[in-house]
Amino acid sequence: MRHLFLGLDCSTQSLTALLIDFSSGKLFSRHNIIFDKDLPNYKTQKGIIILDKNKVIHSYPLMWVEALEMIFDQMKNNNIPLQEIKAISGSGQQHGTVYLNDKFERVLETLDINKSLVSQLKPVFSRNTSPIWMDSSTTKQCDEIREKLGGLKSTIETLGSNIIERFSGPQIRKFYQENLDGYNHTSIIHLVSSFMASILLGKNAPIDHGDGAGMNLMNIRTKQWDDRVLEATAPNLKEKLPSLTNPSSILGNLSSYFVEKFGFNANIDLIVWSGDNPNSLIGVGLIEKGKAAISLGTSDTQFSYLQDLYLDFKGEGHVFVAPTGDYMSLICYKNGSLARERIKDKFKLNWEEFSKILNKIPPGNNGKLMLPYFFPETVPQVLKPQVYRFGFDENDIEGNIRAIIEAQFLSMKLHSKWIGEKPKEIFVTGGASINEDILQVLANIFNTKVRMFEITNSAALGAALRAAKSYYDSKDEIKSWKQIINKFINLQEGAIIKPDNKYIELYNDMLDLYKNYEEFILRNKSNPEIARLEFIKKYFF
Ligand code: XUL
């Protein structure tokens, strides 16, 4: 007999519905609404609207609502057995906030199946657009909140993250400062995840600890709203926030609107939604100490499961609560594939040619070293983009190719040192993860096994697996996370790349050198040129 679980993922560019059959361990169906293409009347570009020079970036919550109805319509029309689904959970792009007025809950409770969701939900917003994670317009508010909390260290102690432009707290403060009337007419502020869950539930849904940790409002130790932080953010904020809950909570049954309109079972369980990164942690199977993943995408993200709480007092990395109730780290590097492509395209190469050259040059790049800030960088923070080259120039093809790859992974190693749990194995996903030569450099620099791991829809899969876990646990058919993950994710499948022991010392030395160059350029420390010449003498003569 089939055991179907649905994972929804409301991401920046699309809404995905992934249905899995737990009894066979197989994907049952996948539906996807691409906002730009399928809902063109909102005129988004890649799911977003740019309101001010690349800094103010929003999206339309009503568009997400319309996508939800559209995806269920498609599933029904494709004869997906919606009545068999046992539980639903979901994933939302993190940090984005949705501002609703006092009509919201009443409209949800009295939805009419003869009308569309969009037409009924139009009047419930106190702000028609939602600032999302790409918005970087709140530096002033970040500084104000951080100062009220007593500076960087005490902020990170409390929240697990620095106050960050894209996080919800400073965005809420900006709305309060710039539109007091709008703020006063806001009854509740949801995250993307809890907003979508509320619609399915037919009343306000709570925020889970995982997504809550990305708001700059939740105390990372008590997992409660932090009164001091709320006060530093905006007045009367506590009464405008949903409650917080455990990532495995069952919220109740699906609203009768969906049961009657689409034929879902009335007893279907709705599990609390979470953010896309916590969901992806499950979707790539990171549920044990020593498991880390790097996604080599437009920007590169590095995340790992943490058994204990570690904090980055430099304020570059973030700690969220994992769906298992433990912790996870997340570090986001903006100069990801865009920077790699800059070099590839400058020399008019394809990836194969790029790899060939990368391989020709020995580890350590004959002492040529780059600080690769082609674009503004978040880790480390570099506002004005500039590429620094030591020992070579921009026309040296070989030097540039090896240098960009080594620089990116040295930077990742350096800036993830605060995570006390050293990875035993790194799973690599995303576009560049199929390039074995790039991954060999990663394995050597981290001195860790690297596994190529192709997975799409990891957030939606994570949500479906979370739904299955909560469902079985509630039915006294308790399954461990390992049993849940093993049913769908074969971590042994991807090819392994082993580190080459020959280069341990070289890359340790090079990491020191890289750190010193970073400090030289970004913090005016002394020029490490002599150390670089010694490095060349030691390894290349
Ligand atoms: C994480 C972050 C993004 C969003 C969008 O901090 O901003 O990964 O969750 O997907």
Side-chain angles (χ1 to χ4, degrees), residues 124-181:
V124 304
F125 297 95
S126 55
R127 190 182 194 181
N128 287 333
T129 61
S130 289
I132 62 153
W133 64 280
M134 296 165 95
D135 189 295
S136 59
S137 65
T138 63
T139 305
K140 170 178 167 282
Q141 289 77 16
C142 289
D143 292 344
E144 289 166 355
I145 299 171
R146 193 182 307 108
E147 197 183 311
K148 285 197 202 166
L149 297 181
L152 188 63
K153 183 155 188 286
S154 70
T155 298
I156 292 168
E157 276 285 359
T158 310
L159 297 171
S161 281
N162 186 10
I163 307 290
I164 300 285
E165 278 77 354
R166 67 186 189 280
F167 280 39
S168 321
Q171 291 289 346
I172 292 170
R173 181 169 179 78
K174 185 174 171 222
F175 184 54
Y176 148 70
Q177 286 180 338
E178 294 183 353
N179 185 350
L180 184 59
D181 198 43

Side-chain angles (χ1 to χ4, degrees), residues 69-294:
E69 185 137 59
M70 199 178 230
I71 216 161
F72 286 160
D73 261 330
Q74 283 187 3
M75 292 174 85
K76 188 177 169 189
N77 293 340
N78 289 343
N79 297 320
I80 301 296
L82 298 175
Q83 72 288 350
E84 278 184 42
I85 297 175
K86 296 191 177 303
I88 302 181
S89 189
S91 164
Q93 49 171 311
Q94 289 200 261
H95 317 301
T97 35
V98 183
Y99 299 75
L100 299 139
N101 60 31
D102 59 2
K103 297 195 194 79
F104 182 51
E105 208 160 35
R106 226 165 35 84
V107 168
L108 287 184
E109 283 164 2
T110 53
L111 285 173
D112 176 352
I113 62 163
N114 297 312
K115 296 181 188 154
S116 70
L117 274 182
V118 170
S119 65
Q120 297 179 81
L121 281 160
K122 234 178 214 156
V124 304
F125 297 95
S126 55
R127 190 182 194 181
N128 287 333
T129 61
S130 289
I132 62 153
W133 64 280
M134 296 165 95
D135 189 295
S136 59
S137 65
T138 63
T139 305
K140 170 178 167 282
Q141 289 77 16
C142 289
D143 292 344
E144 289 166 355
I145 299 171
R146 193 182 307 108
E147 197 183 311
K148 285 197 202 166
L149 297 181
L152 188 63
K153 183 155 188 286
S154 70
T155 298
I156 292 168
E157 276 285 359
T158 310
L159 297 171
S161 281
N162 186 10
I163 307 290
I164 300 285
E165 278 77 354
R166 67 186 189 280
F167 280 39
S168 321
Q171 291 289 346
I172 292 170
R173 181 169 179 78
K174 185 174 171 222
F175 184 54
Y176 148 70
Q177 286 180 338
E178 294 183 353
N179 185 350
L180 184 59
D181 198 43
Y183 181 76
N184 286 338
H185 280 96
T186 300
S187 293
I188 190 151
I189 303 172
H190 273 292
L191 285 179
V192 178
S193 60
S194 60
F195 170 65
M196 296 299 276
S198 301
I199 292 168
L200 293 177
L201 187 63
K203 60 180 185 204
N204 280 309
I207 289 175
D208 94 304
H209 297 146
D211 219 9
M215 295 179 78
N216 275 163
L217 297 174
M218 188 190 89
N219 187 303
I220 194 70
R221 293 164 208 276
T222 63
K223 299 177 184 167
Q224 305 286 328
W225 299 127
D226 189 284
D227 288 333
R228 214 164 57 94
V229 182
L230 298 193
E231 215 168 276
T233 302
N236 309 320
L237 184 51
K238 200 168 200 165
E239 55 196 64
K240 296 181 196 288
L241 291 175
S243 56
L244 284 161
T245 194
N246 199 294
S248 57
S249 291
I250 298 181
L251 304 180
N253 299 132
L254 200 58
S255 151
S256 58
Y257 178 86
F258 298 97
V259 174
E260 287 165 27
K261 192 158 185 172
F262 299 101
F264 287 97
N265 191 311
N267 293 325
I268 193 168
D269 284 330
L270 183 66
I271 315 305
V272 68
W273 284 40
S274 188
D276 53 357
N277 291 298
N279 275 297
S280 286
L281 190 80
I282 297 300
V284 294
L286 306 189
I287 46 156
E288 278 166 32
K289 206 171 164 159
K291 291 267 161 73
I294 292 176

Side-chain angles (χ1 to χ4, degrees), residues 118 137 446 452 482:
V118 170
S137 65
F446 276 78
M452 298 162 87
K482 212 171 191 158

Side-chain angles (χ1 to χ4, degrees), residues 279-338:
N279 275 297
S280 286
L281 190 80
I282 297 300
V284 294
L286 306 189
I287 46 156
E288 278 166 32
K289 206 171 164 159
K291 291 267 161 73
I294 292 176
S295 158
L296 299 173
T298 311
S299 56
D300 292 339
T301 50
Q302 182 179 11
F303 57 99
S304 44
Y305 165 88
L306 301 178
Q307 204 163 57
D308 299 302
L309 177 62
Y310 294 89
L311 298 172
D312 176 17
F313 287 106
K314 282 207 194 116
E316 297 168 342
H318 314 297
V319 183
F320 302 144
V321 175
T324 54
D326 308 302
Y327 291 100
M328 67 174 289
S329 60
L330 178 95
I331 315 176
C332 191
Y333 306 86
K334 289 238 166 121
N335 280 269
S337 69
L338 291 177

Side-chain angles (χ1 to χ4, degrees), residues 41-52:
N41 48 323
Y42 292 92
K43 299 192 172 58
T44 55
Q45 283 181 341
K46 301 201 170 199
I48 64 172
I49 40 168
I50 300 177
L51 296 174
D52 186 21

